[in-house]
Amino acid sequence: MSTNGFEECHLFDPQILHDLEFEDQKCASYKPEINLTDPGEGLKIRPLCISDFDKGYLSLLTHLTKVGDISREQFEERFQLMKSQPNLYYTVVVEDTFTHQVVGSATLVKEMHFIRQCASRGRIEDVVVNSSYQGKQLGKLLVDVLTLLSKKVGCYKVSLECLDKMVPFYSKFGYAKEEGQNYMCRRYIPK
């Protein structure tokens, strides 16, 4: 794929998504039916691209949390840093091919450990869909894709953090609150 004469730069190899056996292994049901290769009219799912800076990616993230004023240079530097650590960062986006805007996104982070014979654990983070596209099952599709992807890339487990009100949503994919497990957080104020 080419953008403005330059070869498009994906965060990870798009073939990994094409190789998912989505129809056979999906965790959720969809009505109307959508899937990885047909997420809806004019929509496509793909890895995050460096050109997504110009397609509203950072603006989309403001639907989720504070983003700050990130320059193109900062975005490209962070993108290249993530890309330089292959097989750790899998940010998937939904692009509206009519408007050329990113309208949904979620990230799978693969953590490497020494436990369980040097196993890897997955974390799903930053699931967000533009409010104008909510109700089209895109959040569900993103979580389903990343859940399957976590297994494909060799994670022994995958987890996510969510608000209490979102627990029923994530339960559809087989996620469960584990007895005796707590999520704790310590935040730091930037200087």
Side-chain angles (χ1 to χ4, degrees):
M1 175 185 276
S2 176
T3 303
N4 296 331
F6 297 100
E7 190 64 29
E8 184 61 87
C9 182
H10 294 95
L11 186 60
F12 63 92
D13 184 353
Q15 189 62 44
I16 295 171
L17 294 177
H18 296 293
D19 291 345
L20 288 179
E21 296 175 12
F22 186 82
E23 287 305 313
D24 297 332
Q25 298 179 7
K26 64 184 176 186
C27 304
S29 59
Y30 299 88
K31 291 187 189 335
E33 190 64 34
I34 61 171
N35 58 52
L36 177 58
T37 57
D38 185 14
E41 185 179 359
L43 301 174
K44 73 176 177 180
I45 294 183
R46 59 169 174 75
L48 179 71
C49 294
I50 201 160
S51 63
D52 290 333
F53 180 86
D54 295 316
K55 294 182 178 181
Y57 178 68
L58 296 176
S59 177
L60 172 70
L61 293 179
T62 66
H63 291 257
L64 182 66
T65 190
K66 295 177 185 176
V67 175
D69 187 22
I70 298 174
S71 70
R72 177 184 301 276
E73 182 180 344
Q74 288 172 306
F75 178 84
E76 290 178 357
E77 184 178 302
R78 178 55 49 101
F79 182 96
Q80 293 298 346
L81 182 61
M82 292 168 72
K83 185 173 176 61
S84 73
Q85 300 174 56
N87 308 317
L88 295 182
Y89 296 99
Y90 300 90
T91 299
V92 175
V93 301
V94 179
E95 180 182 355
D96 183 322
T97 60
F98 298 133
T99 64
H100 304 288
Q101 292 294 296
V102 173
V103 299
S105 179
T107 298
L108 169 67
V109 179
K110 183 178 172 185
E111 300 174 350
M112 295 184 287
H113 295 275
F114 288 106
I115 61 171
R116 299 182 184 267
Q117 298 181 310
C118 293
S120 295
R121 169 195 180 154
R123 289 185 187 272
I124 293 179
E125 300 183 345
D126 303 337
V127 179
V128 61
V129 174
N130 181 302
S131 57
S132 299
Y133 291 80
Q134 290 177 0
K136 298 180 183 290
Q137 308 178 96
L138 297 176
K140 188 191 311 188
L141 187 58
L142 285 165
V143 173
D144 215 350
V145 166
L146 291 184
T147 300
L148 296 176
L149 183 60
S150 70
K151 185 175 181 183
K152 174 98 176 150
V153 300
C155 297
Y156 79 93
K157 75 176 180 179
V158 61
S159 64
L160 52 82
E161 299 154 7
C162 68
L163 300 172
D164 288 340
K165 69 180 184 179
M166 296 302 293
V167 169
F169 173 76
Y170 290 112
S171 296
K172 297 175 189 174
F173 306 94
Y175 292 90
K177 293 172 92 174
E178 293 184 345
E179 188 68 34
Q181 295 292 317
N182 294 298
Y183 163 71
M184 298 175 73
C185 178
R186 180 172 177 171
R187 295 188 186 266
Y188 296 98
I189 300 171
K191 294 180 183 180

